[in-house]
Amino acid sequence: RVANGALPILRYSTPETFATSGAMDGGGERLELVSLPVSYDVTNGELKLELATSLAGAIVETLKVLDNPRYDCTEPVLSSFFPNLQVYLVLQSFGIEAPELQNQVEGSLQEGVKSLVRRQKVDGGWAWCSGPETDWTMTAYVLFGLSSAQQAGITVPDKTIQGAINALSAGLISPNMQMDAWQLNQLAFINFAMDTAGNGDLRVANQLYKVRDQL
């Protein structure tokens, strides 16, 4: 016997989103056709219209600044630093006027640089967390991030960049057929990071190319 004489029936459905965009060269009118299927239930949907001065300006609402993590580890700091750097580059590349967002992302990047500089070890490298040993993959990751930021106009101490290059150069070895795949992958990334900083080793790159099937 059904309670209250009613039998609830659940209709399973999957919501769908359709989007379109465009630009107008000048003032005037534009007709945009919205065609709905016959089976569409008008009580379960909405039409949302957004207007922006440019297509680039329309993305401002989707750009968010990630807070710097409070963990005592290098990787989370850099993994929030990178997305913020991309937000900064988008604002610069498209000339988007968003003062509040600009201030937030610049402040976050400056804090990230300070945190990474503070974590650099005496040998010029970085550990994953606060451990005593330098990790070469993490050092290459930080070098890639800081050199990319420096090229984008963010202030990064030259000695920090050079220290990382020196550390990686000192531990750079020649790839060979006897190496495991992870070792070759690590060497490829290290050389890529050094090349981004303007100090790639062409000899190592050529040797990696010879064993590319093992990468």
Side-chain angles (χ1 to χ4, degrees):
R1 182 177 180 180
V2 180
N4 301 323
L7 179 64
I9 299 177
L10 301 179
R11 178 182 178 183
Y12 293 98
S13 61
T14 302
E16 294 184 82
T17 300
F18 297 92
T20 182
S21 63
M24 298 181 66
D25 297 329
E29 296 181 356
R30 174 166 179 163
L31 178 64
E32 193 75 24
L33 178 63
V34 180
S35 180
L36 303 177
V38 178
S39 60
Y40 179 72
D41 183 356
V42 295
T43 62
N44 291 328
E46 64 175 347
L47 175 64
K48 186 176 181 181
L49 177 65
E50 295 182 2
L51 298 177
T53 55
S54 68
L55 288 178
I59 68 175
V60 173
E61 291 299 320
T62 67
L63 298 178
K64 306 295 181 184
V65 177
L66 296 181
D67 293 330
N68 287 298
R70 302 304 174 188
Y71 309 115
D72 188 26
C73 287
T74 307
E75 186 275 328
V77 174
L78 194 59
S79 291
S80 65
F81 180 84
F82 256 121
N84 289 337
L85 178 60
Q86 296 309 308
V87 171
Y88 179 83
L89 291 173
V90 167
L91 294 176
Q92 299 298 316
S93 299
F94 291 99
I96 299 174
E97 296 293 334
E100 183 177 352
L101 180 61
Q102 183 83 19
N103 291 335
Q104 288 180 354
V105 72
E106 288 181 357
S108 180
L109 288 173
Q110 291 170 3
E111 185 178 341
V113 169
K114 291 179 181 178
S115 179
L116 292 170
V117 169
R118 187 173 62 250
R119 296 170 189 275
Q120 190 173 28
K121 297 186 173 300
V122 177
D123 65 359
W126 283 265
W128 275 83
C129 289
S130 55
E133 296 184 2
T134 290
D135 182 89
W136 301 118
T137 299
M138 181 53 56
T139 298
Y141 188 27
V142 176
L143 174 61
F144 177 51
L146 292 181
S147 59
S148 298
Q150 190 179 61
Q151 292 168 16
I154 303 299
T155 301
V156 180
D158 290 333
K159 65 178 183 180
T160 300
I161 299 290
Q162 192 58 51
I165 292 173
N166 293 341
L168 292 172
S169 297
L172 198 63
I173 58 177
S174 298
N176 58 69
M177 298 288 290
Q178 284 69 47
M179 284 185 172
D180 292 332
W182 73 266
Q183 294 174 302
L184 295 173
N185 292 339
Q186 185 184 63
L187 273 176
F189 181 61
I190 288 174
N191 201 48
F192 168 73
M194 292 178 63
D195 186 67
T196 302
N199 284 269
D201 191 317
L202 184 59
R203 177 184 57 83
V204 172
N206 288 333
Q207 291 174 334
L208 282 167
Y209 185 77
K210 293 178 182 179
V211 294
R212 61 190 181 279
D213 292 340
Q214 295 177 241
L215 294 172

